[in-house]
Each structure stands twice: as C-alpha cells, then as structure tokens.
Amino acid sequence: MVQVHPRPRAGDTVMSVARGGVDQAGDAGEVRTKGLSGNSVGLLGSAVIGISTVAPVYCLTSTLGPTVGQVGVQMPAVFLAGFLPMLLVAFAYRELNKAIPDCGTSFTWTVRAFGPRVGWMCGWGLVIATIIVLSNLAGVATSFFYLLLGELTGSDALAALDDNRPVHVLTCLAFIAVATAISYRGMTATKGVQYALVGLQLAVLAVFIAMAISKARSGDLPGSIDFSWSWMNPFAVQSFAAFTAGLSLSIFMFWGWDACLTVNEETEGSAKTPGRAALVAMVVLVGSYLLTAVAAQMFSGVGEQGTGLGNPETSDNVFAALADPVMGTALGVLLFVAVLASAAASLQTTFIPVARTVLAMSAYQALPPSFARIHPRFKSPGLATIAAGVATGVFYAVMSFLSQNVLIDTVYALGLMICFYYSITAFACAWFFRAELRRSARDAFFKGVFPVLGGLLLAAVFGKTLYDMWDPSYGSGSSVLGVGSVFVIGVGLLLVGVVIMLVMRRRSPAFFRGEVLTRSTPALVVED
C-alpha cells in the first residue's frame, strides 16, 4: 500500500518517510512543495497527457515524407531505432521519479546529481525547447485551421488566408491565448479537453491504417508495394549519414512523453504512476507510428511522383495528399480535423512541462520567486503559465516577421535541445543511484546500464547534429558569416541560458552555492 503524506505549505521543512527510515530537512536544502492540486490525475489521464504532448498525428503528417526521403523503405526500422534511446531514457525518468517525485523533473534531478549549474542549464534546455515547440504547434494549428475551413466551404480564398502573414500571426496568437487559458485553469480543465482530442486522433489513425492496408492489398494501385519484414532492418539503410538524419527525425517524433512526469505532484501515486504512464504512452506511440508507416508505405510506395511518400512537393504534409485517395472525400476531411486536433491538443498540454519546470526553478530560488505563485482556486502555476504563453507569442511573432527562414531554422535547432536535456537527465540517473547499482541486477540495469546507454545514444546524436548544423546547407540553407544559421540559433539559445544563469547567480547566490537543493535533500514521501 502506498501512502502519500500530507504536503505542507511552500517553503516549509518536509519530513521524508522513505524506505529506510526518517530524515528531517534542516534550514538549507529542504524539499519544497509547490501547492499544486494533488491526486487530480490518474494513470490514464497521465498517459493521455504524454501522448497528447507528442502530437502523434501532426508528427506523422510532417515527418513521414522527410524520413522516407532519407532512408526509403527502412522508415519503420528508423522509427524503431528512434524509440530505443527514448525507452532507455524513460527508464531513467521512472527510477528518478520513484525517488524524487518533483514537478521540476530534469531540473530537480540533475541539480541533485550534478549540482546547480548543470541542473540549471538542463532546466533551461527543457524550457527553451518547449517554447520553440509551442510556437511551431501554434503555427501548424493556424495553417490547418484555414486549410480545414477551405475544405469544408470549398473556398480557396479562406484557405489562402494562411498565406496572409498578419492574419496568420494574429490567429496564431489567438490559439496561444486559448491554450494558455485552458492550462491556467489547472489539470481538471486540461484532462477533459485531452481525452476528447487524443481519442479523436487515435480513432482517425486507426481508420486510416485499416483503409490504407485494405486498398493496398487489393492490387489496384499502381504505386503500392507489398509489405516486407526487411523494412524493419536498420542496417539496410544506404549510408550512416542517411541513418543519423532519419534517426534525428525519429527522436523528434517521440519528444514530449515526459510531460506526464511533470504532473507527478498532481498524480495519484506520484512515485509510481507517472513512470508507468510514460511507458504506456511510449508503447501507444511506437505502435501508432509503426502501423501508420507500414500502411502509408504499402499504399503509396516511396516514389517521388504523385502520392509517393518521397514526393518533395507533399513531404511536409503527407496526410493532406493521402486524405482523399485513402479515405475518400467524405471521410478524408477527418484527417484534416485530426491534424488540427493533434496540434491544438499538443499546444495546450505542452504548457504543462514548461510551466511546472519554471515553477520548480522558482520554488528552489533558481528563478525569481514570483513564478512560484499558485492560483488559489485552480491550483495551477498561474504566472508561470502566462509567462510561457507570452514568451511563445512574442517568439513566434518576432520570428515570423523577421524571416521565414529563421522560423524554420529554430525548428531544426529543436533536436539539439531535446538531446541536450534528455541525455543529461539519463546520466544524472546513473550518477544519482551509483551507490545502489551493485545491490541487485534490476538496479544495475534500470538505474545504470539502460540510462547510460540511452544518454550515450542521445549524446552521439547531439554531437552529430551539432557538426551537421555548422554547414549552411542544413535547414533553410541560410548562414551567418559562413556558419549555418541552425548552428547559430541552436548554440545561441543555449548561450542565452548561460547569460540568464549568470544573472540569476548574482540575484540568488544561495541556490548556486548549493544551499537550497542538494543531493542530501530528503525526498517527499512514500511508504511501501
């Protein structure tokens, strides 16, 4: 029986009833509860948040084409290869969450393992990656909103409004405002919206998969190809460069599952349920991705003409090209609805990790204390959520009017941020539990071997991506003083984090001296 002890007010000293006994925190280094609404999310709700944040339908429509362009029929194998490091890192998150169920997740855990500076940068990596994703999701939701209106009304003029930059940006800001408002109202409002949107996405994907495979097997389609188990062989990819490019896309497709860990302080059974939810979300995602990849490949083939997945003219939105051929005119519009729902759902849930990471950083004095305010009625990090919404809106508006190429390149730089904070968190797990690794085979693998392997794989992708980004041809093809703009943006955003960290070190020296959050800080809670 797991018993969660009552949570005291923010800033109070916390008693830890752990498996080995009782520890009392002193004046420095105490765990701080944040005032979030406890026990408001169950296993299903937590898994739904993880799936929703990933936005599976949006990821598929925007990634199927580019992945085929890199690896051809080996696309399913590359999806499996991208799943492996994420699964290994998920084990690290699960073990760390059992020991320290804190909504700061990567930030809190990495501070505990490696100290305040590494932990602060790890938290920054999560925050800036999320803001980039939020702005991109808002842009995608806006584009599909007008595309859907055009499909429903048959009006090309309505569909063309997306090309009007002021209209696009204003609509995008409206989507951001609505998503911010829903997240501001707390987990209860979030869950209700997400059940409907995630259910719609998975249902439409199931229909698409069934109809695509059925029509492909009929033998009436000139571009269709028969399924082969060789599609699952990653070693059949033509070159290592093509494999790493496809792997980078695949890793992006799984990013966001850790959102269910950031609501651990609001989850029933906060020490175990979030970790289980993350694994459930990962299984649902990899299953959906593999089945959709196989179905689309069987139906369309990998050619560069017509509905072929390798057609560069349709690679950025495969479902728009396949909707009518696979599902017919009547049902095809559901794919447009599903992509819009996917982007909108992810836009709303992606506020969860950034707001709660900022909340935790503020609670532990790594950011200004105002961000630690909790709404008295909704029990949500109100100011942190609003700040994330404002930052996202400003970022997207500025980048949109500055240059379309710059906006595109920020998305390409996203993979750098993802690998950065995931790999650090994985290594933090092995280091934090280093004294326990010889206790049992289970501890050795789940707390040491698996996290380190996952961290090494993502660190390798980080290094290779950093190397590739130097080339101006990477991304949009633009450059700054002969250096690829993706490299400049990616490294520049990390350096911005360093500057902010230095400012905060002057304002909050106690945190950076290791007096607020340390390895010896007792964890809140759980009895087995």
Side-chain angles (χ1 to χ4, degrees):
M1 183 84 179
V2 174
Q3 178 181 351
V4 180
H5 293 269
R7 299 177 182 274
R9 296 184 303 272
D12 286 355
T13 298
V14 173
M15 184 80 75
S16 172
V17 184
R19 295 172 182 80
V22 179
D23 295 316
Q24 177 70 46
D27 293 335
E30 76 268 13
V31 164
R32 300 177 184 185
T33 56
K34 324 297 187 307
L36 297 166
S37 58
N39 299 322
S40 59
V41 184
L43 176 63
L44 178 61
S46 184
V48 164
I49 287 171
I51 295 169
S52 176
T53 304
V54 174
V57 178
Y58 157 65
C59 284
L60 283 166
T61 192
S62 61
T63 311
L64 286 173
T67 306
V68 164
Q70 294 290 341
V71 302
V73 294
Q74 259 52 59
M75 175 172 59
V78 170
F79 284 174
L80 277 175
F83 170 71
L84 177 61
M86 289 300 190
L87 178 63
L88 296 174
V89 172
F91 288 131
Y93 272 72
R94 185 185 67 177
E95 297 304 319
L96 285 166
N97 183 74
K98 282 182 182 179
I100 315 168
D102 189 285
C103 72
T105 58
S106 291
F107 160 75
T108 304
W109 301 332
T110 309
V111 172
R112 294 280 296 269
F114 297 137
R117 291 170 183 80
V118 175
W120 200 100
M121 286 303 300
C122 187
W124 171 256
L126 187 155
V127 168
I128 196 62
T130 307
I131 288 174
I132 292 173
V133 168
L134 281 169
S135 63
N136 185 52
L137 286 168
V140 170
T142 299
S143 297
F144 271 89
F145 173 70
Y146 285 113
L147 185 59
L148 179 60
L149 285 181
E151 285 286 319
L152 293 174
T153 62
S155 171
D156 292 336
L158 275 178
L161 283 176
D162 185 55
D163 297 326
N164 184 312
R165 186 55 47 187
V167 171
H168 176 93
V169 171
L170 286 174
T171 308
C172 185
L173 294 178
F175 272 111
I176 292 172
V178 171
T180 304
I182 295 174
S183 297
Y184 183 83
R185 293 178 63 84
M187 293 308 303
T188 302
T190 297
K191 283 194 304 179
V193 173
Q194 292 309 316
Y195 283 136
L197 294 180
V198 170
L200 172 64
Q201 290 181 64
L202 296 180
V204 173
L205 270 186
V207 173
F208 173 84
I209 292 166
M211 295 185 74
I213 292 176
S214 176
K215 290 187 176 183
R217 295 182 65 183
S218 69
D220 298 331
L221 302 173
S224 65
I225 54 179
D226 293 331
F227 170 76
S228 172
W229 285 107
S230 65
W231 295 355
M232 304 296 175
N233 179 14
F235 298 103
V237 178
Q238 58 185 351
S239 69
F240 182 70
F243 176 77
T244 55
L247 185 63
S248 181
L249 289 167
S250 179
I251 288 173
F252 166 73
M253 291 180 68
F254 287 101
W255 178 80
W257 55 267
D258 53 311
C260 51
L261 276 299
T262 61
V263 296
N264 49 19
E265 294 188 37
E266 299 152 273
T267 304
E268 297 173 5
S270 59
K272 295 182 178 180
T273 301
R276 292 169 179 167
L279 294 177
V280 170
M282 294 282 281
V283 170
V284 171
L285 289 168
V286 73
S288 301
Y289 289 167
L290 285 176
L291 289 173
T292 304
V294 168
Q297 207 159 270
M298 288 177 65
F299 181 88
S300 300
V302 295
E304 298 181 0
Q305 303 294 325
T307 59
L309 296 180
N311 188 341
E313 295 181 1
T314 61
S315 63
D316 62 339
N317 188 359
V318 168
F319 286 157
L322 296 183
D324 287 351
V326 174
M327 303 177 68
T329 304
L331 292 178
V333 72
L334 288 177
L335 266 181
F336 291 95
V337 173
V339 175
L340 176 59
S342 181
S346 183
L347 174 63
Q348 191 255 306
T349 51
T350 304
F351 274 99
I352 291 173
V354 66
R356 281 151 184 78
T357 299
V358 169
L359 167 67
M361 293 178 78
S362 178
Y364 293 118
Q365 301 178 30
L367 285 176
S370 57
F371 291 116
R373 294 176 187 165
I374 297 295
H375 192 282
R377 177 185 171 191
F378 301 128
K379 302 298 181 183
S380 67
L383 185 60
T385 302
I386 292 172
V390 170
T392 300
V394 170
F395 181 84
Y396 189 82
V398 170
M399 292 300 179
S400 293
F401 287 112
L402 181 64
S403 169
Q404 191 65 24
N405 285 341
V406 172
L407 187 62
I408 292 171
D409 286 341
T410 59
V411 178
Y412 276 97
L414 174 63
L416 201 68
M417 310 300 169
I418 294 171
C419 293
F420 176 75
Y421 84 85
Y422 272 164
S423 60
I424 292 176
T425 306
F427 293 137
C429 177
W431 186 252
F432 183 81
F433 292 114
R434 63 189 184 280
E436 302 177 22
L437 299 183
R438 296 183 181 179
R439 196 167 61 180
S440 68
R442 184 201 176 281
D443 285 341
F445 280 98
F446 287 101
K447 296 179 179 179
V449 175
F450 292 159
V452 168
L453 283 176
L456 287 173
L457 288 171
L458 290 176
V461 175
F462 176 88
K464 182 65 167 60
T465 302
L466 198 64
Y467 175 81
D468 292 341
M469 284 177 174
W470 183 270
D471 190 338
S473 65
Y474 195 94
S476 68
S478 57
S479 64
V480 178
L481 300 177
V483 179
S485 62
V486 180
F487 181 93
V488 173
I489 291 170
V491 174
L493 288 173
L494 289 176
L495 291 178
V496 168
V498 173
V499 172
I500 297 175
M501 180 179 69
L502 293 175
V503 172
M504 286 307 304
R505 188 174 67 176
R506 294 180 62 88
R507 295 189 57 180
S508 182
F511 170 79
F512 289 96
R513 286 198 299 261
E515 298 172 1
V516 177
L517 184 62
T518 68
R519 180 176 174 82
S520 61
T521 303
L524 196 60
V525 245
V526 277
E527 290 178 346
D528 286 334

